[in-house]
Amino acid sequence: MVSSGRRAAGSDQLSRGTNQTGVRLYNERLVLSLVRRHGSLPKADIARRTGLSPQTISTIVNALEADGILLRLNPLRGKVGQPLVPYALNPGGAFFLGLKIGRRSSDIVLMDFAGTVRGRIHQPHPYPTPQIMLDLTRRGIDELTAGLSPAERQRIAGFGIASPFELWNWESQLGAPADVLAAWRQADIRAEIAAIIPWPVYFHNDGTAACAAELVLGNGQHGEDFLYIFLGSFIGGGVVLNSHLFPGRTGYGGAIGPLPVPAPSGGFQQLLRSASIYVLADRLTAAGQDPSTLWRDPGDWGEIGPLLDEWIADAAQSLALAAISAVSIIDFRTIVIDGAFPAGIRQSLVQATREATLGFDLQGLAPFTIAEGTIGFGAREIGGACLPLLANFTQDREVLFKENG
């Protein structure tokens, strides 16, 4: 993970809670992480959960409140003794921008500190190009931040990019001409975006970024260890171990697309060739149907018919094998499945995957659950916005990103 050291003019006037320096202390990050997970907590509960002294917690919470990062809520009355005063995250305490680079569409979002998406721009395209991404970034910043006050703009903490790695190697799946692939090989999209914006820029694989969104905004419901699988145009994913994002040695941790699974014609093929949305798009095209419905509005695919049912069945069989393989190596408590499709399709795919696991010999495996993701089709761009949040406001030791020029 790399981030840009570039700062806006006057950025030293940012309050201490809105940049990495301001929340560098472990205890501050711990407090913020606990409040995020539980929604709101009084100082006494924070002290009990952290093991820190009430005086230490009082100092930290008061400072974060003064910075506008935490909000003091109404006292909880009706109990013996002094009424407890809970504290919650201030949605306006910080803002984050996230860009998802996709095969058939890209998105940019503005997210507040509570994880609410304040605005989104969805842009379909035949294939992504570096110039399209730069133009979308400029447009997104202009339109999405237009409603922020000058003080709120000063609280934008970073810009995160969620993108497949090495786009130039996906010639057949991307469907882009040779000059576009060559442009991606030569481009450093992180550096190019960093050159036109005043905030630090963070970059990660799109599957890992989507996993980051599930980790940060999923309220811990999947346990401390889970494998996250996201079905976009290409399938990908991420790994969470001990409640921390685990990107792995090269940033490909959890990128399960290359996992071998049985091919219909015999032998083996990569998982991405059976459990990716581009596979469904190709089947629709071959049947004379318009595949653009799959990326025009990821929340509403309309009526597709039997081809969708067949794709779900094939994808579920492969996903079940992937889940069992993963649990055989690390005893994940949960396999989380999400994707760039409507919630009803996600529910059907998860149920079909659960049923498919029953056809395998599970002896010797720790019990595990196959669960739906909580973010939905926007997980990658929201995950992009979560990258600066993770870098600046959480304990995640794997995502304390190194500065790069």
Side-chain angles (χ1 to χ4, degrees), residues 16 46-47 61 75 115 184 200 206 216 230 233 264 277 282 327 362 391 401:
R16 63 188 290 272
I46 297 173
V61 170
W184 277 115
D206 56 343
V216 174
F230 188 91
S233 290
I277 293 176
D282 287 351
V327 175
L362 303 180
F401 308 115

Side-chain angles (χ1 to χ4, degrees), residues 200-269:
V201 176
Y202 305 85
F203 181 91
H204 228 312
N205 176 268
D206 56 343
T208 303
C211 182
E214 191 70 40
L215 171 63
V216 174
L217 305 178
N219 296 321
Q221 63 180 283
H222 303 308
E224 295 183 346
D225 307 300
F226 62 87
L227 173 67
Y228 176 85
I229 300 173
F230 188 91
L231 281 74
S233 290
F234 311 131
I235 191 172
V239 172
V240 170
L241 297 176
N242 298 320
S243 298
H244 291 281
L245 193 66
F246 180 75
R249 177 175 57 87
T250 61
Y252 280 100
I256 63 171
L259 186 75
V261 296
S265 58
F268 293 88
Q269 64 183 9

Side-chain angles (χ1 to χ4, degrees), residues 1 6 18 78 87 99 131 165 178 181 192 199 230 245 270 283 290 292 297 303 307 336 347 350 354 371 374-375 405:
M1 175 58 64
R6 177 185 170 94
T18 59
Y87 289 81
L99 171 69
Q131 189 59 52
F165 286 166
L181 298 175
E192 293 183 24
W199 309 292
F230 188 91
L245 193 66
Q270 291 190 335
R283 293 181 183 182
D290 181 8
S292 66
D297 182 359
E303 293 296 326
L307 286 176
V336 181
Q347 182 180 24
V350 168
R354 290 172 181 157
T374 63
I375 309 300

Side-chain angles (χ1 to χ4, degrees), residues 28 46 84 121 127 139 173 215 235 241 267 282 373:
E28 287 186 344
I46 297 173
L84 296 176
I121 296 176
Y127 43 79
R139 176 189 169 199
Q173 293 88 355
L215 171 63
I235 191 172
L241 297 176
D282 287 351

Side-chain angles (χ1 to χ4, degrees), residues 265-276:
S265 58
F268 293 88
Q269 64 183 9
Q270 291 190 335
L271 176 65
L272 67 85
R273 300 189 184 280
S274 60
S276 295

Side-chain angles (χ1 to χ4, degrees), residues 231-368:
L231 281 74
S233 290
F234 311 131
I235 191 172
V239 172
V240 170
L241 297 176
N242 298 320
S243 298
H244 291 281
L245 193 66
F246 180 75
R249 177 175 57 87
T250 61
Y252 280 100
I256 63 171
L259 186 75
V261 296
S265 58
F268 293 88
Q269 64 183 9
Q270 291 190 335
L271 176 65
L272 67 85
R273 300 189 184 280
S274 60
S276 295
I277 293 176
Y278 91 87
V279 176
L280 175 58
D282 287 351
R283 293 181 183 182
L284 292 175
T285 299
Q289 296 181 238
D290 181 8
S292 66
T293 184
L294 303 180
W295 53 81
R296 189 168 48 239
D297 182 359
D300 182 9
W301 280 5
E303 293 296 326
I304 294 178
L307 286 176
L308 175 61
D309 297 331
E310 294 171 9
W311 176 77
I312 288 175
D314 292 344
Q317 191 68 26
S318 294
L319 288 170
L321 178 56
I324 292 167
S325 299
V327 175
S328 298
I329 299 171
I330 298 176
D331 54 346
F332 292 109
R333 169 180 159 179
T334 311
I335 307 297
V336 181
I337 298 176
D338 210 341
F341 36 51
I345 293 175
R346 178 180 63 195
Q347 182 180 24
S348 297
L349 180 62
V350 168
Q351 182 58 35
T353 304
R354 290 172 181 157
E355 293 172 359
T357 62
L358 301 179
F360 292 89
D361 184 356
L362 303 180
Q363 183 176 1
L365 292 181
F368 64 95

